[in-house]
Amino acid sequence: MRKLKKYKPTKFKAKTSVYNETAADYAVNFIECLCHTKGKWAGMPFELIDWQEQIIRDIFGILKPNGYRQFNIAYVEIPKKMGKSELAAAVALLLTCGDGEQRAEVYGCAADRQQASIVFDVAADMVELCPALKKRVKVLKSQKRIVYEPTNSFYQVLSAEAYSKHGFNIHGVVFDELHIQPNRKLYDVMTKGSGDARMQPLCFLITTAGTDTNSICYEVHQKAKDILEGRKHDDTFYPVIYGADEEDDWTDPKVWKKANPSLGITVDIEKVKTACASAKENPGEENTFRQLRLNQWVKQAVRWMPMNKWDQCAFPVNEEELEGRVCYGGLDLSSTTDITAFVLVFPPLDDEDKYYILPYFWIPEDNLDLRVRRDHVPYDIWKRQGFLQTTEGNVIHYGYIEKFIERLGQRFNIREIAFDRWGAVQMVQNLEGMGFTVVPFGQGFKDMSPPTKELMNLVLSQRIAHGGHPVLRWHMDNIYIKRDPAGNIKADKEKSTEKIDGAVAAIMALDRAIRCGNSNAESVYDSRGLISW
């Protein structure tokens, strides 16, 4: 058996735990008795790459004082084509056939049965290519089940509906591509309590970075980062993340190597170079390259708002200090069952001041829980924290919102309210009846482009203060920009896959704040023209 050069146990080994070389050697030896199953490696012994061996030695070799494994959850996030499926299949077989557990229950999970079958099929082929396992293992392909007869243990692929079938006695779980899980239900069922009857259950999560920052995968990713960076501590959780940092140059081959530990082994660098060249020529491919090749979390095909710059504008916003000041509102009603957003923008009092943003959001009370489950967005948490309000019933109660805006008008000097003409006729009439000046705001390039570009300019120059409001941040992060041949831009509501109502309302309010300011003086558009980029 080849030994990993300069192996050093992970820094996350607990003080009371020990590295048992015999246990680690056994796990490595078991896996290296298997064979690869695909491509040019098919039929060749599974010689672990250094990064893979480090993981196996850490997980299976670091033991608590009672002799059982320290880690119960291992999270491995790594770019595509690094050998994820082969490693996951090997771990599944080790837990099923080589862990000495009687009647071990090991499950393969993914977003759907077809995805989970990828690892199963590799494991089944590994059994076929290993004489020692072949005579002891029964592979039931139609049931997606592998049975190790000496201990009556099994490895089983679960269907998408498995989360509703409790009663598992789990020894091991292999989650493939956790980032495409549609919700957290299956993850919760498989990781919370189902292995309590076992002495050393292991949940092995292996995935590429995703696009949904409200998913269970991103939640686990954040925990892994917090542990890696010392913000959290959990002796049972083993974190591994290979990827490029946000500030890294995605076109630099050194960054490719940093993010891809199997580069030059399982993936030829020329293929990465070709993919990078294609992404340079077609900006629409950049985020795909970043996600799959560099393992960076991205939102959609083409991002617009650089969220690190947006976060730098999270300057405090004190409502009491803004009372009485001139401001402008933006109202995006969306539909009666969706999010309604009302955003106030306060123009600066002088050259040193900023544009202050106060956002307000509403959704119907009755479908709050449904939306949390369906959209896996933490509306319930935002409501408890005061960042989101609900209106009674299963549709938006516009009358409640009108009264709320009326009360805001008593606190702030709301000069104008800009609104999207669609679906707002009755509310506009009611707001006018309350004495507000309400102006229609077109959603085309002509009206949306100037304030959208100006918003970016203000963010980059840190002239915006938004207080870090999480709902508004989510909306800003969701924006997909559409351009016309003249270079004008606007938020594309069809391609922005998540909600952007707050961002649109903020852009409309910002336009009126820039044009009108604190007096009737000329607007910034008049004095220095539009920004072109």
Side-chain angles (χ1 to χ4, degrees):
M1 179 186 67
R2 179 185 65 88
K3 292 275 188 175
L4 178 64
K5 295 179 181 179
K6 299 180 181 178
Y7 168 75
K8 182 180 180 181
T10 175
K11 65 179 180 179
F12 303 112
K13 181 176 76 67
K15 291 181 179 180
T16 56
S17 296
V18 297
Y19 172 65
N20 187 307
E21 188 172 7
T22 301
D25 285 350
Y26 172 81
V28 171
N29 188 53
F30 180 96
I31 292 176
E32 293 194 336
C33 286
L34 303 172
C35 291
H36 288 285
T37 65
K38 297 179 180 179
K40 67 178 182 178
W41 304 91
M44 297 177 63
F46 192 154
E47 183 174 319
L48 289 165
I49 305 169
D50 285 357
W51 70 269
Q52 296 173 324
E53 186 173 343
Q54 178 77 40
I55 290 171
I56 296 302
R57 288 188 174 277
D58 284 344
I59 294 173
F60 291 92
I62 296 177
L63 309 181
K64 297 182 291 187
N66 62 8
Y68 294 108
R69 288 189 289 268
Q70 173 185 319
F71 299 110
N72 299 130
I73 295 180
Y75 179 78
V76 181
E77 187 180 291
I78 196 164
K80 64 179 290 191
K81 302 303 180 185
M82 291 293 105
K84 289 197 301 294
S85 296
E86 302 271 322
L87 183 61
V91 169
L93 289 175
L94 175 55
L95 291 170
T96 306
C97 311
D99 218 18
E101 184 79 7
Q102 292 294 318
R103 295 183 179 273
E105 297 180 20
V106 181
Y107 296 94
C109 303
D112 52 48
R113 189 177 176 88
Q114 182 178 0
Q115 179 68 36
S117 297
I118 294 174
V119 173
F120 172 86
D121 291 341
V122 173
D125 290 343
M126 284 180 168
V127 168
E128 187 68 24
L129 293 170
C130 179
L133 285 181
K134 188 175 181 181
K135 63 183 181 182
R136 296 173 174 84
V137 170
K138 183 182 295 183
V139 178
L140 307 173
K141 289 194 173 183
S142 63
Q143 300 176 34
K144 299 296 181 185
R145 189 180 184 95
I146 291 175
V147 179
Y148 181 62
E149 295 182 321
T151 60
N152 201 22
S153 300
F154 64 81
Y155 170 55
Q156 175 72 59
V157 171
L158 291 181
S159 66
E161 296 76 28
Y163 67 82
S164 63
K165 302 170 185 175
H166 294 257
F168 298 112
N169 188 355
I170 293 171
H171 176 63
V173 178
V174 175
F175 259 100
D176 185 32
E177 298 297 10
L178 183 64
H179 77 275
I180 56 176
Q181 279 291 312
N183 54 55
R184 64 178 303 128
K185 290 182 179 178
L186 182 57
Y187 177 86
D188 285 345
V189 167
M190 304 308 291
T191 60
K192 299 189 185 308
S194 296
D196 286 354
R198 305 284 181 174
M199 294 306 296
Q200 52 179 3
L202 176 65
C203 183
F204 189 75
L205 315 170
I206 192 160
T207 186
T208 302
T211 61
D212 185 358
T213 55
N214 292 292
S215 64
I216 180 58
C217 187
Y218 191 73
E219 179 182 317
V220 180
H221 161 87
Q222 284 296 102
K223 178 176 181 178
K225 281 193 66 177
D226 287 342
I227 292 175
L228 285 167
E229 296 172 7
R231 291 187 294 271
K232 288 184 179 179
H233 180 77
D234 184 345
D235 284 340
T236 68
F237 191 99
Y238 179 74
V240 176
I241 299 178
Y242 282 97
D245 294 324
E246 186 70 27
E247 65 274 11
D248 285 342
D249 179 3
W250 62 276
T251 66
D252 187 348
K254 292 180 181 178
V255 174
W256 306 345
K257 182 62 179 177
K258 169 186 172 181
N260 294 268
S262 298
L263 192 63
I265 303 174
T266 61
V267 173
D268 190 89
I269 193 170
E270 290 301 320
K271 291 186 177 180
V272 182
K273 188 180 296 184
T274 300
C276 181
S278 180
K280 286 180 182 178
E281 295 177 2
N282 182 1
E285 295 179 13
E286 178 183 332
N287 270 17
T288 300
F289 182 88
R290 286 176 177 269
Q291 178 196 354
L292 300 181
R293 298 288 187 178
L294 300 184
N295 204 46
Q296 291 182 319
W297 282 79
V298 297
K299 284 301 294 180
Q300 62 268 331
V302 178
R303 286 187 300 184
W304 178 64
M305 177 61 70
M307 296 311 295
N308 61 321
K309 299 297 184 183
W310 176 261
D311 291 340
Q312 290 173 6
C313 294
F315 303 107
V317 178
N318 189 317
E319 290 194 24
E320 293 182 358
E321 292 180 358
L322 294 172
E323 287 187 359
R325 277 184 52 170
V326 169
C327 61
Y328 299 83
L331 178 65
D332 192 322
L333 291 182
S334 193
S335 69
T336 57
T337 58
D338 219 330
I339 292 179
T340 285
F342 182 68
V343 178
L344 291 176
V345 174
F346 296 76
L349 297 176
D350 53 46
D351 291 341
E352 301 300 319
D353 201 10
K354 303 181 187 299
Y355 285 86
Y356 287 91
I357 298 179
L358 271 182
Y360 302 92
F361 299 92
W362 298 268
I363 60 173
E365 173 71 36
D366 288 358
N367 61 24
L368 176 67
D369 293 337
L370 172 63
R371 294 169 68 97
V372 172
R373 295 194 303 271
R374 182 192 66 196
D375 303 337
H376 37 92
V377 173
Y379 297 110
D380 52 345
I381 296 175
W382 288 337
K383 179 187 176 184
R384 288 198 300 271
Q385 295 174 338
F387 296 116
L388 177 75
Q389 300 181 55
T390 57
T391 65
E392 186 177 354
N394 58 7
V395 296
I396 285 291
H397 192 300
Y398 288 150
Y400 176 88
I401 296 175
E402 291 165 7
K403 292 294 184 183
F404 187 90
I405 294 175
E406 184 177 28
R407 291 194 296 274
L408 289 178
Q410 296 168 2
R411 298 180 60 197
F412 309 113
N413 184 0
I414 303 177
R415 287 278 181 86
E416 294 180 356
I417 297 176
F419 70 97
D420 178 1
R421 297 180 183 89
W422 185 86
V425 176
Q426 186 59 55
M427 180 177 281
V428 166
Q429 292 177 352
N430 294 340
L431 290 174
E432 287 178 331
M434 296 174 182
F436 289 106
T437 299
V438 187
V439 295
F441 200 98
Q443 301 298 294
F445 289 107
K446 175 179 175 293
D447 292 320
M448 291 298 291
S449 186
T452 303
K453 290 182 177 181
E454 193 65 46
L455 173 62
M456 179 63 76
N457 177 59
L458 292 172
V459 168
L460 295 179
S461 60
Q462 296 189 20
R463 294 287 313 283
I464 286 281
H466 53 67
H469 196 290
V471 185
L472 182 61
R473 184 189 192 279
W474 176 48
H475 288 193
M476 286 293 175
D477 201 11
N478 289 332
I479 292 181
Y480 180 106
I481 286 296
K482 190 173 184 179
R483 296 177 184 270
D484 70 2
N488 296 309
I489 65 173
K490 68 172 184 174
D492 191 329
K493 292 189 176 182
E494 293 181 2
K495 291 188 178 180
S496 298
T497 56
E498 300 284 359
K499 307 305 177 188
I500 62 172
D501 313 85
V504 172
I507 290 169
M508 292 191 294
L510 179 63
D511 179 88
R512 304 313 301 165
I514 291 173
R515 290 186 184 279
C516 305
N518 286 287
S519 65
N520 293 323
E522 66 177 11
S523 81
V524 67
Y525 295 147
D526 297 327
S527 61
R528 64 130 167 85
L530 302 180
I531 294 173
S532 298
W533 44 271

